[in-house]
Amino acid sequence: MKTVLMVAEKPSLAQSIAKILSRGNLNSRKGLNGVCSVHEYTGTFLRQNVRFKVTSVCGHVMTLDFIGKYNNWDKVDPAELFSKAPTEKKEANPKLNMVKFLQVEGRGIDYIVLWLDCDKEGENICFEVLDAITPVMNIPRGNEKVVFRAKFSAITDTDISKAMNQLGEPNRNEALSVDARQELDLRVGCAFTRFQTKYFQGKYGNLDSSLVSFGPCQTPTLGFCVERHDKIQSFKPEAYWVLQAKVTNSAGDSMVLDWDRVRVFDREIAQMYLNMTKSTKETKVQSVSKKEKVKQRPQALNTVEMLRVASSALGMSPQHTMQIAEKLYTQGYISYPRTETTQYPESFDLKATLRQQANNINWSDVVKALLTEGINRPRKGQDVGDHPPITPMRSATEAELGSDGWRLYEYITRHFIATISYDCKYLQTTVAFNIDEEHFTCTGKTLLSAGYTTVMPWQSLADEETLPVCEGGDVFTVNEVKLLEKQTSPPDYLTESELITLMEKHGIGTDASIPVHINNICQRNYVTVESGRRLKPTNLGIVLVHGYYKIDQELVLPTIRSAVEKQLGLIAAGKADFPPVLEHALNIFKRKFHFFVDSIAGMDELMEVSFSPIAESGKPLSRCGKCHRFMKYIQAKPSRMHCSHCDDTYNLPQNGTIKLYKELRCPLDEFELVLWSSGSRGKSYPLCPYCYNHPPFRDMKKGMGCNECTHPTCQHSLSLLGIVQCVECESGVLVFDPTSGPKWKMACNSCNVVVHFFENAHRVKVSSETCVCEAAIVDVDFNKAKSPLPGEATQHSGCVFCDPVFQNLVELQYAKMKHPMHRGGGGQGRRRGRGRGRRPPGRGNPKKPKDKMAALAAYFV
């Protein structure tokens, strides 16, 4: 029996597809990576009985990056990244072992059906999956077709079954357009970001951003926000005057009239008009005009409109909105949420979709009335040819979806119902008056037919828009005519909704990437989100954009990126070739980069005005090993140490607190140690600022603290404090934290595993002896009053994992216990533990340090 492998983009999607196609008759098992399940059943494919295996990936299998040596910021000129630096595809998430998993499941299969999301990114993932699986598939006979592509827009029985019966092929051109965008963004973004970050963070201490990043889409997005900020700052309010009249009829109904001149900017002229009109006691209705008007129902919903409404009306960020929409889609509640189309296809069954909502108590009356009266033909929109508009696929309740999920689902459903409802009709009445020689009017609206506003009540007419009944010639008493002084007001900061509109208008990003670009400028501390989800640029964001304008305004204007997006669209459509388009775009940005580097002084002048030099930032903390003067700790992102006497800056671990570590010094370079901590429930470890930036041993990398240092005799090193290989990851070692008492703990120096043990012990020490499992023996000394040891003993030595006395005193957090000593009985555990809990190198067979050690010693002596 032949085998068909079907691959979806997410595990939940694979499960839904398998259940639909197998009609619930399937067997499921976990894959080797522990994340993706494999669902198996038998069925018919190409008129033959086959075994189906349905599994998934977790988004992109591969990611594009530079080869190893070009990821070193200190040794590579950023200009080389435009052409000289070779790129390679790496696993997007190595911990998932996705390539190996796909090859294991794909070995010996005969056919593959790709159920990736039906957009350009999905097509790109199709070929990533094929690259992994094709080499291990059975070789096809002759020209037999073995690769198939399923096209679908919703996770429903109908859509999935239809897609299975109409299989096509993956689109190579769309996949190549994504490859081109990835390489362009990688090369351009990394080159500018590395240069800017190193240049400005080396000079200024209070930028408060760990990365001074540039992005071909990100920077124009920031440019829109700063452009609005500049308009606000340069705005000069101007006084103007408005005449306002209030009149009342014999029945006591009053109206406030609007002046036909609207406003005047000269006070004396305004006063003249007031003097002309204020003596008038009565006025007659000159005319009453009535006109029937229509408030159109909305077009079908696409991604950009959904993001706009979610931000402005629901108060949800674009990134959060897309996460919720994707979850609703994978659970089968809505159709595919990434689409630019605003027109339902001719084959779309509107009535069937509407009928599913007939029993939902929130809008059942409206739905039943529409089904009885007949639905209205939807407005004509734009058909981009990607996916149908976003619609609900089945009925739901708030209890099923949760707060935010329900709010978004409710809007999508109400919007869908509104698109096939009737327009809102109202009568607009305009009453005209003359007071002396001046013309005034009052306009009101009377509802004739609520139409779609029944289901979208926030768009209904306000009650105060209705006018009292009156006819031409009716006399009204003039209660007052007054002069109002007002001022022109500046525009407000851009809302996320307005920014999305600008990005769509100028072709910056796609419906899928727009939320990512907005999220990036927030994360980089270029803008802050104020009330009403308004985006206010920070000092850093403003200076960067002004600097780009000063050097090369095309770096921040949307024109170049918009042109590039059109070129990428031509690749996707098969009208342009990948290499020349990429080469042309890279050449443009390469020339701009060289000009930017040569002209950086122009941006630096702006930086000097807004930010403090690094030597004037921070507070004294620890002593430098070279000059023995105090170095300053700069807390603003990225946190670092700076010695103003030596003019040296040392990077530190981020996202934690730094304090002096008992005034102890590194035995290699005499720098005072500092202690990094992520909090009482997290990890902490000491580090030498110099060794952290200049690794002293061959087996150390930049960015390692004392808990990874292989110094053979230092009391803070891995060699003396390391206990056992990590119970969760393969590469880490559990290292004792001597600062954690009385709530003692050891933490992995690679992952986030923390093991708490021996609470309230008086003293804990790592012995030089080792257990049969090759873990270090630990000596523990308890106070007599608090000792948990049997027989009122206060001292005990043993293995943390093997010793039965210690086992109840050990508690692991943030990870599932996997140490072999905790499986089954003592003897069996010991046998399985051999080699697994290997002691870190250093104590028995210390590695020789680099020659740099001798050089360091000579330097400081």
Side-chain angles (χ1 to χ4, degrees):
M1 186 182 287
K2 291 188 175 182
T3 304
V4 179
L5 178 66
M6 305 207 285
V7 184
E9 193 159 319
K10 299 178 184 70
S12 57
L13 216 56
Q15 185 180 20
S16 300
I17 291 167
K19 281 183 177 178
I20 291 170
L21 294 177
S22 69
R23 297 177 183 173
N25 187 20
L26 74 163
N27 295 314
S28 299
R29 59 179 169 82
K30 277 286 182 188
L32 69 83
N33 62 6
V35 176
C36 302
S37 296
V38 183
H39 312 282
E40 297 177 308
Y41 64 97
T42 55
T44 305
F45 186 76
L46 299 179
R47 299 178 183 177
Q48 56 187 321
N49 289 329
V50 297
R51 181 169 70 104
F52 285 101
K53 292 201 296 182
V54 186
T55 189
S56 73
V57 291
C58 296
H60 273 283
V61 178
M62 310 300 286
T63 186
L64 189 71
D65 201 0
F66 297 111
I67 64 169
K69 71 174 187 178
Y70 286 94
N71 284 317
N72 188 324
W73 285 37
D74 298 323
K75 295 181 180 178
V76 177
D77 182 354
E80 293 182 28
L81 302 180
F82 283 98
S83 53
K84 289 183 182 179
T87 59
E88 63 178 344
K89 290 272 189 178
K90 299 178 181 177
E91 281 204 53
N93 190 340
K95 290 183 180 179
L96 293 179
N97 284 321
M98 194 59 71
V99 172
K100 185 178 178 183
F101 165 71
L102 289 172
Q103 288 177 342
V104 168
E105 297 301 335
R107 188 171 301 280
I109 64 163
D110 300 283
Y111 305 101
I112 181 167
V113 182
L114 300 160
W115 289 84
L116 286 307
D117 288 351
C118 299
D119 55 12
K120 290 173 186 173
E121 295 290 337
E123 297 300 326
N124 191 261
I125 301 172
C126 280
F127 287 93
E128 292 175 355
V129 172
L130 289 175
D131 287 343
I133 291 177
T134 306
V136 297
M137 286 177 66
N138 287 338
I139 299 171
R141 298 175 186 172
N143 294 323
E144 184 186 13
K145 184 178 175 183
V146 295
V147 176
F148 300 88
R149 175 74 162 109
K151 295 279 187 178
F152 59 102
S153 297
I155 314 301
T156 62
D157 294 14
T158 308
D159 275 66
I160 297 301
S161 300
K162 184 179 177 183
M164 190 66 183
N165 292 327
Q166 299 177 358
L167 296 174
E169 295 180 5
N171 189 320
R172 171 71 71 177
N173 291 327
E174 289 191 356
L176 285 174
S177 74
V178 174
D179 284 338
R181 181 184 286 110
Q182 285 178 349
E183 186 166 346
L184 180 66
D185 289 351
L186 175 72
R187 292 184 183 279
V188 174
C190 284
F192 277 91
T193 298
R194 289 186 191 183
F195 174 73
Q196 288 180 169
T197 302
K198 288 183 69 177
Y199 187 89
F200 292 121
Q201 285 187 351
K203 293 191 70 174
Y204 303 102
N206 57 342
L207 296 178
D208 201 23
S209 180
S210 53
L211 211 62
V212 187
S213 64
F214 173 94
C217 285
Q218 172 194 300
T219 304
T221 303
L222 174 62
F224 291 130
C225 300
V226 175
E227 183 184 10
R228 177 62 64 90
H229 168 83
D230 291 343
K231 286 180 180 177
I232 294 170
Q233 296 302 308
S234 61
F235 184 85
K236 293 181 180 177
E238 193 176 355
Y240 66 90
W241 288 264
V242 176
L243 271 186
Q244 190 182 81
K246 187 178 180 182
V247 298
T248 310
N249 63 10
S250 56
D253 298 321
S254 62
M255 290 189 287
V256 177
L257 309 183
D258 298 319
W259 191 22
D260 279 12
R261 294 184 191 272
V262 184
R263 60 187 178 180
V264 293
F265 288 89
D266 190 310
R267 182 182 176 84
E268 291 182 3
I269 293 175
Q271 188 64 46
M272 177 191 75
Y273 286 127
L274 177 65
N275 294 337
M276 287 167 55
T277 55
K278 68 179 180 181
S279 57
T280 306
K281 301 298 181 186
E282 286 185 344
T283 181
K284 286 184 180 180
V285 174
Q286 298 298 310
S287 64
V288 179
S289 62
K290 296 184 178 183
K291 190 174 183 182
E292 189 175 309
K293 292 207 167 187
V294 170
K295 195 172 187 179
Q296 280 193 315
R297 63 200 179 282
Q299 286 183 326
L301 184 66
N302 67 1
T303 306
V304 170
E305 181 63 19
M306 178 184 73
L307 295 175
R308 271 199 291 254
V309 172
S311 176
S312 59
L314 306 181
M316 290 157 53
S317 73
Q319 184 93 339
H320 184 50
T321 302
M322 283 310 300
Q323 288 170 352
I324 293 171
E326 285 174 7
K327 187 178 178 183
L328 291 174
Y329 161 67
T330 55
Q331 291 174 335
Y333 288 105
I334 65 171
S335 61
Y336 191 62
R338 290 196 180 103
T339 177
E340 296 176 33
T341 296
T342 56
Q343 181 172 315
Y344 299 113
E346 291 296 328
S347 59
F348 194 89
D349 195 339
L350 295 167
K351 281 189 178 178
T353 307
L354 183 64
R355 208 172 284 120
Q356 291 176 338
Q357 304 294 333
N359 295 321
N360 192 307
I361 58 170
N362 296 284
W363 40 73
S364 58
D365 293 345
V366 179
V367 171
K368 287 174 181 175
L370 270 175
L371 290 170
T372 304
E373 298 167 12
I375 62 173
N376 192 13
R377 186 178 180 82
R379 281 174 60 192
K380 191 171 182 180
Q382 185 181 14
D383 185 1
V384 181
D386 51 355
H387 285 274
I390 305 167
T391 57
M393 300 314 295
R394 59 187 171 109
S395 186
T397 63
E398 185 171 0
E400 290 175 60
L401 306 182
S403 176
D404 284 351
W406 166 254
R407 288 164 66 217
L408 186 61
Y409 172 83
E410 181 185 17
Y411 169 71
I412 291 169
T413 306
R414 288 185 181 276
H415 189 106
F416 165 71
I417 297 169
T419 60
I420 51 177
S421 298
Y422 292 86
D423 291 337
C424 171
K425 295 179 181 178
Y426 61 92
L427 192 67
Q428 182 170 294
T429 305
T430 304
V431 184
F433 294 88
N434 280 354
I435 300 179
D436 198 82
E437 297 297 321
E438 289 305 295
H439 302 295
F440 291 82
T441 56
C442 188
T443 302
K445 296 171 184 175
T446 307
L447 185 66
L448 298 176
S449 170
Y452 79 93
T453 60
T454 309
V455 76
M456 295 178 85
W458 59 89
Q459 291 195 18
S460 58
L461 299 182
D463 293 336
E464 60 268 21
E465 291 187 56
T466 56
L467 294 180
V469 177
C470 56
E471 295 177 357
D474 286 357
V475 177
F476 280 71
T477 303
V478 180
N479 299 106
E480 66 172 341
V481 179
K482 59 184 179 181
L483 192 63
L484 302 177
E485 182 178 352
K486 297 185 177 183
Q487 277 192 331
T488 53
S489 57
D492 213 334
Y493 285 105
L494 281 178
T495 62
E496 281 175 335
S497 176
E498 292 166 338
L499 179 58
I500 291 166
T501 304
L502 284 171
M503 292 174 74
E504 183 191 33
K505 178 183 175 183
H506 293 281
I508 299 300
T510 63
D511 53 359
S513 65
I514 282 173
V516 177
H517 302 315
I518 295 175
N519 187 57
N520 281 345
I521 63 173
C522 296
Q523 297 243 314
R524 297 283 183 265
N525 195 33
Y526 294 161
V527 299
T528 56
V529 182
E530 306 290 312
S531 61
R533 302 212 65 84
R534 295 190 177 276
L535 301 171
K536 184 178 181 181
T538 61
N539 231 2
L540 179 59
I542 294 164
V543 171
L544 281 174
V545 170
H546 289 175
Y548 294 134
Y549 271 115
K550 193 172 182 180
I551 296 172
D552 181 357
Q553 62 179 9
E554 285 191 336
L555 290 174
V556 75
L557 290 175
T559 45
I560 285 191
R561 183 61 192 199
S562 181
V564 168
E565 287 289 351
K566 287 177 183 174
Q567 293 290 314
L568 295 175
L570 291 175
I571 294 176
K575 297 177 180 178
D577 291 331
F578 168 87
V581 168
L582 181 63
E583 186 180 357
H584 175 67
L586 284 174
N587 281 336
I588 292 173
F589 277 105
K590 185 178 181 180
R591 288 195 293 270
K592 289 185 174 296
F593 176 77
H594 285 296
F595 183 73
F596 179 75
V597 171
D598 293 340
S599 311
I600 193 65
M603 185 182 279
D604 197 26
E605 289 172 2
L606 301 176
M607 287 281 188
E608 284 178 351
V609 176
S610 301
F611 299 102
S612 305
I614 196 166
E616 297 175 14
S617 304
K619 296 178 180 179
L621 180 68
S622 68
R623 290 186 185 274
C624 171
K626 297 179 182 180
C627 63
H628 301 290
R629 289 179 169 85
F630 275 105
M631 298 191 294
K632 286 185 175 180
Y633 169 47
I634 299 165
Q635 200 167 355
K637 290 183 182 178
S639 57
R640 53 216 143 130
M641 306 285 293
H642 180 73
C643 177
S644 53
H645 183 263
C646 303
D647 196 23
D648 286 334
T649 303
Y650 302 98
N651 292 325
L652 296 172
Q654 303 300 306
N655 304 319
T657 57
I658 293 282
K659 61 183 180 182
L660 189 63
Y661 186 51
K662 304 178 184 177
E663 297 185 358
L664 297 171
R665 294 176 183 264
C666 174
L668 296 176
D669 48 42
E670 287 294 305
F671 275 74
E672 281 189 332
L673 302 181
V674 294
L675 184 73
W676 176 87
S677 173
S678 62
S680 59
R681 295 187 177 183
K683 299 197 296 185
S684 60
Y685 58 84
L687 62 109
C688 163
Y690 189 87
C691 293
Y692 188 82
N693 290 269
H694 307 281
F697 302 115
R698 286 189 184 92
D699 54 357
M700 287 181 66
K701 296 177 182 177
K702 194 173 180 180
M704 288 184 169
C706 295
N707 63 342
E708 294 182 85
C709 176
T710 51
H711 192 293
T713 59
C714 176
Q715 60 177 323
H716 317 293
S717 71
L718 167 67
S719 302
L720 269 68
L721 296 179
I723 293 179
V724 70
Q725 183 183 337
C726 179
V727 296
E728 183 72 12
C729 68
E730 296 293 330
S731 58
V733 175
L734 291 173
V735 181
F736 174 57
D737 181 356
T739 67
S740 57
K743 296 186 177 182
W744 302 97
K745 61 188 175 186
M746 55 181 174
C748 177
N749 58 12
S750 179
C751 69
N752 65 347
V753 168
V754 177
V755 178
H756 293 265
F757 53 12
F758 316 132
E759 187 171 349
N760 295 320
H762 174 65
R763 184 178 63 88
V764 177
K765 184 182 177 184
V766 181
S767 167
S768 58
E769 299 175 8
T770 56
C771 173
V772 291
C773 72
E774 300 189 23
I777 297 295
V778 178
D779 302 328
V780 187
D781 187 357
F782 282 96
N783 289 325
K784 191 169 185 178
K786 295 183 178 180
S787 176
L789 301 175
E792 298 185 355
T794 58
Q795 295 181 342
H796 189 77
S797 298
C799 174
V800 172
F801 296 105
C802 301
D803 195 310
V805 175
F806 281 165
Q807 281 192 2
N808 293 330
L809 305 179
V810 177
E811 177 194 347
L812 183 139
Q813 293 185 354
Y814 305 121
K816 188 176 179 182
M817 178 60 77
K818 289 185 179 178
H819 196 281
M821 297 304 142
H822 278 255
R823 299 172 183 158
Q828 183 182 2
R830 284 182 177 84
R831 283 197 300 275
R832 293 178 65 183
R834 280 190 187 277
R836 164 69 178 150
R838 197 173 302 282
R839 185 72 188 274
R843 188 187 296 269
N845 183 23
K847 294 190 179 181
K848 292 181 180 179
K850 284 184 182 177
D851 294 339
K852 182 188 244 182
M853 243 188 108
L856 277 171
Y859 176 87
F860 289 117
V861 169

